[in-house]
Amino acid sequence: MKTYDVVGIGDLCLDITAGVPKIPETDMAQRLLFQTSQGGGKVPTAMVALSRLGASCTLFATYGGDGAGRYCRQELADAGVDTGHMVCLKQEATNLTFCLAEQQTGGRSCIGSYGLRGILPEELDRGVIETAKYLHLWKMTPAALLAAEWIHEAGGRVVFDADRYEKETEEHIGITDVFICSEFFFREMCGEARSSKALRDGLKRIRSRGPKTVIVTRGAKGYAGIDADGYFEGPAFTEIELVDSTGAGDVFHGAYIYGLLQEKDARESARYAAAVAAIKCTRSGGRTGIPDARTTELFLESGTIDPAVAEKWSAYYKAHALI
């Protein structure tokens, strides 16, 4: 049986991203800076980042039997992600997200249609999951909870991407080993992080629920975390030409897991992940700018971004554009 560094369980979608100087108000218009269509989804994009950095990974996910679904599946395969455990729901439409990336603030707003069901417990393969060192999740579904049980029994670890607050996520924090949340989740569970003390206290509160490492990502403000060695903070890499922050958090998660695979500790892995996410943000779309390991190491050493990998994927997306 083939083994994997990482197994992911997540929801696939097609992202159509448009760059604008400023998101327009009602009844107003803005000029288009760029437009790109790429596969999306938190865990799928993390899997792309892992694969591009050099890890072996596979994804349990559903996709619709439409052109968008076929495109997303093929893109993952072309990126090196094993798609053999994905399930096609032939009569259903693939999830779809329209993203507006705002140049003025570096932020983005999204509109989506997410009607496709996720993977069911009976569609998992225990043998495949037990081969992995890490399981990456983003929702506390029955399939995710079962997979977490299996991988723990096999000696692996669970990494969780907590973006928007959900009660089920808080209830099951204890099944995770590494819990990485957005500032939005942190605010809902722990209140505003107005100081390092507030961050530290909130992270301690989350860690008391079970995970060994807890990190909150804070966009341009960087990140903060806590593990057995205590509290730590790190800055974002802001000395870049920001084009599009779509998918930056997803990429951070994938790169953090890659750091762990390279036997980096929590602090080293977080810094590495911040670098990979920053490089990603210099190109349009959620995946074009994801670097390989060599590009990342060069950036960490010198602050220079070699454009070769991004140019390759930019050409790919132009050649395979759906719109």
PDB file of all heavy atoms in Angstrom, residues 7 16 19 78 84 90 94 110 113 124 141 147 163 177 179 209 225 275 292 299 314:
ATOM      1  N   VAL A   7      -2.552  13.097   5.063  1.00  0.00           N
ATOM      2  CA  VAL A   7      -3.874  12.842   4.492  1.00  0.00           C
ATOM      3  C   VAL A   7      -4.778  14.005   4.889  1.00  0.00           C
ATOM      4  O   VAL A   7      -4.769  14.450   6.045  1.00  0.00           O
ATOM      5  CB  VAL A   7      -4.469  11.519   5.013  1.00  0.00           C
ATOM      6  CG1 VAL A   7      -5.942  11.397   4.622  1.00  0.00           C
ATOM      7  CG2 VAL A   7      -3.690  10.331   4.466  1.00  0.00           C
ATOM      8  N   ILE A  16     -13.132  31.609  -8.276  1.00  0.00           N
ATOM      9  CA  ILE A  16     -12.983  32.603  -9.345  1.00  0.00           C
ATOM     10  C   ILE A  16     -12.638  33.915  -8.660  1.00  0.00           C
ATOM     11  O   ILE A  16     -13.460  34.486  -7.936  1.00  0.00           O
ATOM     12  CB  ILE A  16     -14.264  32.726 -10.184  1.00  0.00           C
ATOM     13  CG1 ILE A  16     -14.575  31.381 -10.843  1.00  0.00           C
ATOM     14  CG2 ILE A  16     -14.103  33.822 -11.235  1.00  0.00           C
ATOM     15  CD1 ILE A  16     -15.879  31.351 -11.605  1.00  0.00           C
ATOM     16  N   GLY A  19      -9.255  40.725  -9.002  1.00  0.00           N
ATOM     17  CA  GLY A  19      -8.560  41.770  -8.273  1.00  0.00           C
ATOM     18  C   GLY A  19      -9.109  43.139  -8.637  1.00  0.00           C
ATOM     19  O   GLY A  19      -9.320  43.444  -9.823  1.00  0.00           O
ATOM     20  N   ASP A  78      -2.411  17.393 -11.193  1.00  0.00           N
ATOM     21  CA  ASP A  78      -1.276  18.040 -11.851  1.00  0.00           C
ATOM     22  C   ASP A  78      -0.324  18.672 -10.835  1.00  0.00           C
ATOM     23  O   ASP A  78       0.873  18.817 -11.106  1.00  0.00           O
ATOM     24  CB  ASP A  78      -1.773  19.107 -12.834  1.00  0.00           C
ATOM     25  CG  ASP A  78      -2.481  18.504 -14.040  1.00  0.00           C
ATOM     26  OD1 ASP A  78      -2.326  17.289 -14.283  1.00  0.00           O
ATOM     27  OD2 ASP A  78      -3.204  19.248 -14.725  1.00  0.00           O
ATOM     28  N   GLY A  84      -6.871   9.775  -5.838  1.00  0.00           N
ATOM     29  CA  GLY A  84      -7.524   8.475  -5.943  1.00  0.00           C
ATOM     30  C   GLY A  84      -8.571   8.188  -4.891  1.00  0.00           C
ATOM     31  O   GLY A  84      -9.303   7.196  -5.002  1.00  0.00           O
ATOM     32  N   LYS A  90     -22.003  12.536  -9.277  1.00  0.00           N
ATOM     33  CA  LYS A  90     -22.217  12.834 -10.695  1.00  0.00           C
ATOM     34  C   LYS A  90     -23.376  13.784 -10.972  1.00  0.00           C
ATOM     35  O   LYS A  90     -23.335  14.553 -11.936  1.00  0.00           O
ATOM     36  CB  LYS A  90     -22.402  11.529 -11.466  1.00  0.00           C
ATOM     37  CG  LYS A  90     -21.161  10.657 -11.462  1.00  0.00           C
ATOM     38  CD  LYS A  90     -21.365   9.388 -12.269  1.00  0.00           C
ATOM     39  CE  LYS A  90     -20.105   8.531 -12.263  1.00  0.00           C
ATOM     40  NZ  LYS A  90     -20.292   7.277 -13.042  1.00  0.00           N
ATOM     41  N   THR A  94     -20.348  21.268  -8.298  1.00  0.00           N
ATOM     42  CA  THR A  94     -19.190  21.539  -7.453  1.00  0.00           C
ATOM     43  C   THR A  94     -19.362  22.870  -6.725  1.00  0.00           C
ATOM     44  O   THR A  94     -19.939  23.815  -7.268  1.00  0.00           O
ATOM     45  CB  THR A  94     -17.913  21.562  -8.315  1.00  0.00           C
ATOM     46  OG1 THR A  94     -17.787  20.297  -8.970  1.00  0.00           O
ATOM     47  CG2 THR A  94     -16.675  21.826  -7.478  1.00  0.00           C
ATOM     48  N   CYS A 110     -15.821  37.386  -0.224  1.00  0.00           N
ATOM     49  CA  CYS A 110     -16.194  36.222  -1.019  1.00  0.00           C
ATOM     50  C   CYS A 110     -17.697  35.995  -1.006  1.00  0.00           C
ATOM     51  O   CYS A 110     -18.386  36.307  -0.031  1.00  0.00           O
ATOM     52  CB  CYS A 110     -15.498  34.968  -0.486  1.00  0.00           C
ATOM     53  SG  CYS A 110     -13.698  35.059  -0.492  1.00  0.00           S
ATOM     54  N   SER A 113     -21.319  29.338  -3.138  1.00  0.00           N
ATOM     55  CA  SER A 113     -22.393  28.352  -3.164  1.00  0.00           C
ATOM     56  C   SER A 113     -21.782  27.031  -2.730  1.00  0.00           C
ATOM     57  O   SER A 113     -20.920  26.481  -3.423  1.00  0.00           O
ATOM     58  CB  SER A 113     -22.973  28.234  -4.581  1.00  0.00           C
ATOM     59  OG  SER A 113     -23.909  27.182  -4.652  1.00  0.00           O
ATOM     60  N   LEU A 124     -14.293   6.614   3.744  1.00  0.00           N
ATOM     61  CA  LEU A 124     -12.893   6.679   4.162  1.00  0.00           C
ATOM     62  C   LEU A 124     -12.232   5.318   3.991  1.00  0.00           C
ATOM     63  O   LEU A 124     -12.891   4.281   3.965  1.00  0.00           O
ATOM     64  CB  LEU A 124     -12.798   7.103   5.624  1.00  0.00           C
ATOM     65  CG  LEU A 124     -13.337   8.486   5.999  1.00  0.00           C
ATOM     66  CD1 LEU A 124     -13.268   8.672   7.513  1.00  0.00           C
ATOM     67  CD2 LEU A 124     -12.537   9.583   5.297  1.00  0.00           C
ATOM     68  N   THR A 141     -16.640  16.916  11.284  1.00  0.00           N
ATOM     69  CA  THR A 141     -17.684  16.058  10.735  1.00  0.00           C
ATOM     70  C   THR A 141     -17.532  14.645  11.290  1.00  0.00           C
ATOM     71  O   THR A 141     -16.476  14.289  11.833  1.00  0.00           O
ATOM     72  CB  THR A 141     -17.581  16.008   9.212  1.00  0.00           C
ATOM     73  OG1 THR A 141     -16.311  15.414   8.859  1.00  0.00           O
ATOM     74  CG2 THR A 141     -17.674  17.406   8.599  1.00  0.00           C
ATOM     75  N   ALA A 147     -11.682   9.580  11.423  1.00  0.00           N
ATOM     76  CA  ALA A 147     -10.317   9.560  10.892  1.00  0.00           C
ATOM     77  C   ALA A 147      -9.306   9.967  11.966  1.00  0.00           C
ATOM     78  O   ALA A 147      -8.205   9.404  12.044  1.00  0.00           O
ATOM     79  CB  ALA A 147     -10.208  10.486   9.686  1.00  0.00           C
ATOM     80  N   ASP A 163     -11.130  28.265  10.947  1.00  0.00           N
ATOM     81  CA  ASP A 163     -11.275  29.590  10.347  1.00  0.00           C
ATOM     82  C   ASP A 163     -12.430  30.337  11.000  1.00  0.00           C
ATOM     83  O   ASP A 163     -12.235  31.158  11.876  1.00  0.00           O
ATOM     84  CB  ASP A 163     -11.467  29.451   8.842  1.00  0.00           C
ATOM     85  CG  ASP A 163     -11.522  30.787   8.137  1.00  0.00           C
ATOM     86  OD1 ASP A 163     -11.002  31.774   8.701  1.00  0.00           O
ATOM     87  OD2 ASP A 163     -12.077  30.860   7.032  1.00  0.00           O
ATOM     88  N   ASP A 177      -4.042  17.743  17.778  1.00  0.00           N
ATOM     89  CA  ASP A 177      -2.706  17.876  18.357  1.00  0.00           C
ATOM     90  C   ASP A 177      -2.150  19.271  18.096  1.00  0.00           C
ATOM     91  O   ASP A 177      -1.473  19.844  18.949  1.00  0.00           O
ATOM     92  CB  ASP A 177      -1.767  16.827  17.755  1.00  0.00           C
ATOM     93  CG  ASP A 177      -2.232  15.411  18.057  1.00  0.00           C
ATOM     94  OD1 ASP A 177      -2.053  14.976  19.205  1.00  0.00           O
ATOM     95  OD2 ASP A 177      -2.787  14.761  17.153  1.00  0.00           O
ATOM     96  N   PHE A 179      -3.650  22.924  16.796  1.00  0.00           N
ATOM     97  CA  PHE A 179      -4.876  23.663  16.508  1.00  0.00           C
ATOM     98  C   PHE A 179      -4.478  25.058  16.061  1.00  0.00           C
ATOM     99  O   PHE A 179      -3.948  25.853  16.841  1.00  0.00           O
ATOM    100  CB  PHE A 179      -5.747  23.735  17.764  1.00  0.00           C
ATOM    101  CG  PHE A 179      -7.117  24.296  17.543  1.00  0.00           C
ATOM    102  CD1 PHE A 179      -8.152  23.484  17.104  1.00  0.00           C
ATOM    103  CD2 PHE A 179      -7.391  25.639  17.789  1.00  0.00           C
ATOM    104  CE1 PHE A 179      -9.430  24.001  16.914  1.00  0.00           C
ATOM    105  CE2 PHE A 179      -8.657  26.159  17.599  1.00  0.00           C
ATOM    106  CZ  PHE A 179      -9.683  25.339  17.162  1.00  0.00           C
ATOM    107  N   ARG A 209      -7.802  22.673  26.487  1.00  0.00           N
ATOM    108  CA  ARG A 209      -8.818  21.744  26.001  1.00  0.00           C
ATOM    109  C   ARG A 209      -8.203  20.506  25.349  1.00  0.00           C
ATOM    110  O   ARG A 209      -8.949  19.616  24.936  1.00  0.00           O
ATOM    111  CB  ARG A 209      -9.733  22.469  25.004  1.00  0.00           C
ATOM    112  CG  ARG A 209     -10.369  23.746  25.543  1.00  0.00           C
ATOM    113  CD  ARG A 209     -11.477  23.464  26.531  1.00  0.00           C
ATOM    114  NE  ARG A 209     -12.662  22.996  25.835  1.00  0.00           N
ATOM    115  CZ  ARG A 209     -13.584  23.804  25.302  1.00  0.00           C
ATOM    116  NH1 ARG A 209     -13.453  25.124  25.402  1.00  0.00           N
ATOM    117  NH2 ARG A 209     -14.639  23.307  24.706  1.00  0.00           N
ATOM    118  N   GLY A 225       1.525  31.928  19.288  1.00  0.00           N
ATOM    119  CA  GLY A 225       1.290  30.524  19.596  1.00  0.00           C
ATOM    120  C   GLY A 225       1.718  30.151  20.994  1.00  0.00           C
ATOM    121  O   GLY A 225       2.350  30.940  21.713  1.00  0.00           O
ATOM    122  N   ALA A 275       6.533  32.526   5.838  1.00  0.00           N
ATOM    123  CA  ALA A 275       7.293  32.852   4.632  1.00  0.00           C
ATOM    124  C   ALA A 275       6.606  32.301   3.389  1.00  0.00           C
ATOM    125  O   ALA A 275       6.465  32.993   2.372  1.00  0.00           O
ATOM    126  CB  ALA A 275       8.714  32.299   4.749  1.00  0.00           C
ATOM    127  N   ASP A 292       8.072  26.354  -4.013  1.00  0.00           N
ATOM    128  CA  ASP A 292       8.649  25.081  -3.599  1.00  0.00           C
ATOM    129  C   ASP A 292       9.620  25.337  -2.450  1.00  0.00           C
ATOM    130  O   ASP A 292       9.813  26.484  -2.013  1.00  0.00           O
ATOM    131  CB  ASP A 292       9.322  24.370  -4.772  1.00  0.00           C
ATOM    132  CG  ASP A 292      10.475  25.162  -5.393  1.00  0.00           C
ATOM    133  OD1 ASP A 292      10.881  26.208  -4.829  1.00  0.00           O
ATOM    134  OD2 ASP A 292      10.972  24.735  -6.454  1.00  0.00           O
ATOM    135  N   PHE A 299      14.161  32.758  -0.026  1.00  0.00           N
ATOM    136  CA  PHE A 299      13.463  33.917   0.529  1.00  0.00           C
ATOM    137  C   PHE A 299      13.839  34.136   1.995  1.00  0.00           C
ATOM    138  O   PHE A 299      14.082  35.271   2.429  1.00  0.00           O
ATOM    139  CB  PHE A 299      11.957  33.715   0.389  1.00  0.00           C
ATOM    140  CG  PHE A 299      11.130  34.819   0.986  1.00  0.00           C
ATOM    141  CD1 PHE A 299      11.056  36.065   0.388  1.00  0.00           C
ATOM    142  CD2 PHE A 299      10.411  34.610   2.159  1.00  0.00           C
ATOM    143  CE1 PHE A 299      10.292  37.087   0.935  1.00  0.00           C
ATOM    144  CE2 PHE A 299       9.640  35.611   2.713  1.00  0.00           C
ATOM    145  CZ  PHE A 299       9.583  36.862   2.103  1.00  0.00           C
ATOM    146  N   SER A 314       1.580  30.146 -13.326  1.00  0.00           N
ATOM    147  CA  SER A 314       0.831  31.195 -13.991  1.00  0.00           C
ATOM    148  C   SER A 314       0.497  30.780 -15.420  1.00  0.00           C
ATOM    149  O   SER A 314      -0.634  30.960 -15.897  1.00  0.00           O
ATOM    150  CB  SER A 314       1.637  32.500 -13.989  1.00  0.00           C
ATOM    151  OG  SER A 314       0.933  33.529 -14.655  1.00  0.00           O
TER     152      SER A 314
END
